[in-house]
Amino acid sequence: MNTFDITSAMLIVLSPAIGSFLAVLIDRLPRGEDVIRLPSTCRGCGTRLNPLNLIPILSFILQRGQCNRCGTKIPPWVLYVELLAIGAAVFGVIAGYPDNIHSILYSVFFWLLLALAVSDLLWFRLPDFLNASLALTAFALAALPGGNGWEAVWGAIIGFGAFFAIRFFYQILRGREGLGFGDVKLMIGLGAFIGPVMLSWLIFLAASATLAIALLRQANRNGGLTGSTQMPFGAALCAAAFAIWVSQLSSFN
């Protein structure tokens, strides 16, 4: 087995554990809780989880999705994140082939995309730590041989600037926040990743997806959506960035 095979295998094998850590970040960062020193406990009864309760995927299945002590349901999204982290690693390996560093950085980038999307879907929050990590990873990819180089810088500047302007002028015209600052910061990493040329497609896809979700919610609830209703636009941006990358997959190899 060559070095590439070993690295690829390790990324995929370790991905459920990475997904478990991502779930911790998703759960704690929006609450302002410590993600390193604070031990893992049941949200219902506060019981500290033992090593068997922390095995990714398997522990959820063995516990039947609930705390063994108090019966509090373990959020299903925790399992989904652990499973999706495997897929993110697979795509990272595909994107990075045949270079180990590329595979690692792409996997990290896709893991961060996953964490940001789920955080926005659950809490309507895009934590600064995740946004900053995404941006750093995108710039690291851009700096590698075959990366988009200075296009990443321009993509980040234009993406951040455009969203900052939208947020600023919307707040002046409507007197309320129409775009979260987390979305503005997110565009640094996404703009660096896809470059300035594809930014219009990114915004179009994300806006279309968000509009479709809004219309479905309105139809299911018989109205009730207003101008102040929150929508997970950040999650749509993450999904759109991934969709654009997939559409260009052949160009990476």
Side-chain angles (χ1 to χ4, degrees), residues 205-253:
L205 290 174
S208 298
T210 304
L211 178 60
I213 293 171
L215 292 175
L216 286 173
R217 287 178 58 178
Q218 187 169 21
N220 291 335
R221 298 181 182 183
N222 297 317
L225 290 179
T226 66
S228 60
T229 301
Q230 288 183 299
M231 295 296 294
F233 190 47
L237 287 168
C238 291
F242 183 74
I244 289 173
W245 174 81
V246 170
S247 72
Q248 299 177 322
L249 187 58
S250 61
S251 66
F252 288 103
N253 297 306

Side-chain angles (χ1 to χ4, degrees), residues 126 155-170 178-188 190 199-200 202-204 206-207 233-234 237:
L126 297 167
I157 292 173
I158 295 172
F160 176 85
F163 270 51
F164 184 86
I166 292 171
R167 171 186 165 86
F168 179 76
F169 287 111
Y170 185 93
L179 187 66
F181 201 51
D183 297 308
V184 178
K185 297 174 185 176
L186 175 63
M187 288 304 297
I188 298 175
L190 296 185
L199 278 175
S200 58
L202 175 73
I203 297 170
F204 172 76
F233 190 47
L237 287 168

Side-chain angles (χ1 to χ4, degrees), residues 82-108:
E82 292 172 350
L83 291 171
L84 288 171
I86 301 174
V90 171
F91 278 108
V93 168
I94 293 172
Y97 180 84
D99 182 77
N100 297 326
I101 300 300
H102 278 84
S103 294
I104 293 169
L105 287 177
Y106 271 114
S107 296
V108 170

Side-chain angles (χ1 to χ4, degrees), residues 109-133:
F109 188 87
F110 294 145
W111 284 329
L112 290 168
L113 269 188
L114 172 62
L116 283 160
V118 175
S119 179
D120 197 36
L121 287 169
L122 292 173
W123 314 113
F124 298 106
R125 294 285 302 278
L126 297 167
D128 287 344
F129 174 78
L130 295 178
N131 267 334
S133 299

Side-chain angles (χ1 to χ4, degrees), residues 1-50:
M1 181 177 285
N2 59 41
T3 304
F4 170 72
D5 292 331
I6 295 173
T7 302
S8 301
M10 289 299 295
L11 284 170
I12 294 171
V13 168
L14 293 176
S15 57
I18 298 296
S20 182
F21 180 63
L22 292 177
V24 172
L25 297 180
I26 293 166
D27 184 55
R28 295 186 185 180
L29 287 176
R31 304 174 194 263
E33 297 177 348
D34 187 279
V35 298
I36 302 297
R37 292 171 294 179
L38 189 67
S40 296
T41 60
C42 170
R43 285 285 182 188
C45 62
T47 300
R48 184 167 181 171
L49 304 184
N50 61 50

